[in-house]
């Protein structure tokens, strides 16, 4: 048997990397600095640094959302990043748009699926389906994208329960591009008699092109985050990235990609984290509950920018 001195053995962890207990400084920044410098805690800080650096250098920060992000109450922290001009584009799947619309318009969302499915009333809310589908028809006629269309519809609504909680309205107010990427048959509003496949396809396809345009800003230091979308946004992103690189002589390159979800899925790993960063950049996977991890991420980014 051949042994080696421990002094020359490479080690992955040293005592300096360990977590620290609370000290006199109980600030959020102190908490972050007290995390162990290992594994995902290290990755989390790297992601925070990448977003802060992108904001300082005015690179793109594209945030892609699944419906669970909106219905777990995370719109206010994302709106804060939009207000601070950190997020440069919000792209969401259809369910996220529905939850956002219902919260803004009616003050509540997320029905009991099992109970409604039993008697065929799941997803059959009259006002949600009619108002959103009629907005799509108007948007098609006005040559608007789906995100812009819904923002206009909320602006023109007679009564809003929680306008301040809407990503759709915040995007309109702040001039941040917001796109919605529908999957026909996957969303409750497609069940409504007012649904128009032509209008849904036209407005959402226009948003697909707008997302591809926004991805050019990722080049050389941008960040794309996939928050809670297991299928739709990873698939849309890969195709939009192909368009951006096709028109941009192979760019964008050299960006950071992040998938943050409650569990690992094939498409986000391949289409967000791995494939887009094969030639350049860096991809990260962070697993955790959205309602904890997303506020932590937002607070950490703001702390990093304010300490700079």
């Amino acid at each position: 048997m051949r042994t080696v001195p421990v002094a020359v053995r490479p080690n992955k962890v040293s005592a300096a990397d360990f977590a620290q207990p609370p000290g006199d400084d109980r600030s959020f920044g102190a908490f972050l600095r007290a995390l162990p410098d290992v594994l995902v805690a290290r990755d989390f800080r790297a992601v925070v640094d990448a977003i802060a650096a992108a904001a300082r250098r005015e690179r793109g920060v594209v945030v892609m959302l699944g419906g669970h992000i909106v219905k777990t109450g995370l719109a206010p922290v994302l709106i804060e990043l939009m207000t601070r001009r950190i997020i440069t584009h919000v792209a969401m799947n259809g369910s996220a748009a529905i939850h956002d619309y219902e919260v803004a318009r009616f003050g509540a969302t997320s029905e009991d699926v099992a109970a409604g499915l039993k008697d065929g009333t799941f997803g059959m809310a009259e006002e949600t389906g009619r108002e959103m589908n009629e907005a799509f028809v108007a948007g098609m006629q006005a040559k608007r994208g789906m995100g812009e269309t819904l923002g206009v519809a909320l602006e023109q609504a007679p009564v809003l329960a929680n306008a301040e909680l809407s990503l759709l309205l915040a995007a309109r107010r702040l001039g941040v591009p917001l796109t919605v990427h529908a999957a026909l048959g996957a969303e409750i509003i497609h069940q409504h008699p007012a649904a128009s496949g032509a209008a849904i396809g036209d407005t959402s396809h226009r948003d697909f092109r707008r997302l591809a345009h926004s991805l050019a800003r990722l080049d050389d230091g941008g960040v794309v985050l996939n928050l809670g979308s297991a299928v739709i946004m990873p698939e849309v992103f890969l195709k939009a990235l192909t368009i951006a690189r096709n028109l941009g002589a192979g760019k964008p390159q050299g960006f950071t990609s992040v998938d943050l979800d409650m569990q690992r899925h094939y498409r986000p790993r391949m289409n967000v984290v791995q494939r887009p960063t094969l030639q350049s950049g860096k991809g990260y996977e962070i697993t955790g509950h959205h309602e904890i991890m997303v506020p932590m991420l937002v607070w950490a980014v703001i702390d990093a920018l304010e300490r700079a």
Side-chain angles (χ1 to χ4, degrees), residues 4 7 22 24 27 50 61-63 68 70 90 165 187 216 264 266 269 283 306:
V4 297
D24 293 335
S27 67
V61 176
V62 176
V63 177
H68 200 252
V70 177
V90 177
L165 300 181
E187 296 144 26
R264 299 271 50 89
Y266 173 80
R269 172 178 291 131
E306 291 183 346

Side-chain angles (χ1 to χ4, degrees), residues 9-282:
R9 182 192 66 187
N11 298 301
K12 294 181 179 180
V13 179
S14 72
D17 299 327
F18 280 32
Q20 300 298 315
D24 293 335
D25 184 354
R26 305 292 179 86
S27 67
F28 185 76
F31 163 74
L32 289 176
R33 292 186 291 276
L35 293 174
D37 190 24
V38 297
L39 300 176
V40 177
R42 180 182 293 163
D43 290 347
F44 181 85
R45 279 194 287 248
V47 169
V48 169
D49 291 343
I51 297 171
R56 293 189 199 102
R57 299 178 60 208
E58 297 185 348
R59 297 298 193 264
V61 176
V62 176
V63 177
M64 305 187 297
L65 307 177
H68 200 252
I69 296 295
V70 177
K71 75 176 186 177
T72 52
L74 299 176
V77 293
L78 295 174
I79 291 171
E80 181 65 20
L81 291 189
M82 296 165 68
T83 302
R84 291 173 180 258
R85 305 296 173 180
I86 297 169
I87 292 177
T88 61
H89 188 116
V90 177
M92 58 175 65
N93 65 12
S95 67
I98 293 167
H99 289 309
D100 189 90
Y101 186 94
E102 287 193 331
V103 169
R105 183 77 172 87
F106 311 116
T109 191
S110 192
E111 61 190 295
D112 187 331
V113 176
L117 190 62
K118 183 170 60 176
D119 63 0
T121 58
F122 160 60
M124 294 297 183
E126 166 62 20
E127 295 84 352
T128 302
R130 184 163 301 281
E131 290 180 14
M132 293 184 73
N133 280 300
E134 288 179 350
F136 299 154
V137 173
M140 177 176 63
Q141 294 168 349
K143 298 189 182 303
R144 297 189 181 109
M146 186 172 281
E148 183 184 6
T149 288
L150 292 174
V152 169
L154 286 173
E155 284 181 332
Q156 297 175 349
V159 179
L160 292 177
N162 293 107
E164 74 284 358
L165 300 181
S166 171
L167 291 160
L168 293 164
L169 282 170
R172 291 281 296 167
R173 173 172 55 87
L174 298 168
V176 175
L178 185 150
T179 53
V180 180
H181 305 272
L184 279 168
E187 296 144 26
I188 61 168
I189 56 175
H190 301 163
Q191 304 166 189
H192 197 279
S196 165
I200 293 166
D202 180 87
T203 53
S204 186
H205 187 251
R206 187 170 284 109
D207 271 358
F208 171 64
R209 293 175 173 179
R210 288 177 172 171
L211 174 60
H213 175 76
S214 287
L215 295 186
R217 290 191 62 184
L218 292 177
D219 192 56
D220 186 27
V223 180
V224 57
L225 297 105
N226 181 52
L227 307 180
S229 178
V231 178
I232 299 300
M233 293 316 307
E235 291 290 355
V236 169
F237 171 68
L238 201 69
K239 283 71 173 184
L241 180 63
T242 298
I243 294 174
R245 286 178 171 171
N246 183 286
L247 297 174
K251 295 181 178 180
Q253 296 286 349
F255 56 83
T256 299
S257 66
V258 185
D259 178 58
L260 193 161
D261 209 341
M262 294 185 293
Q263 57 188 8
R264 299 271 50 89
H265 297 282
Y266 173 80
R267 285 177 177 83
R269 172 178 291 131
M270 301 306 297
N271 293 1
V272 177
V273 177
Q274 294 185 8
R275 287 169 173 158
T277 60
L278 281 175
Q279 290 79 35
S280 63
K282 177 69 174 175

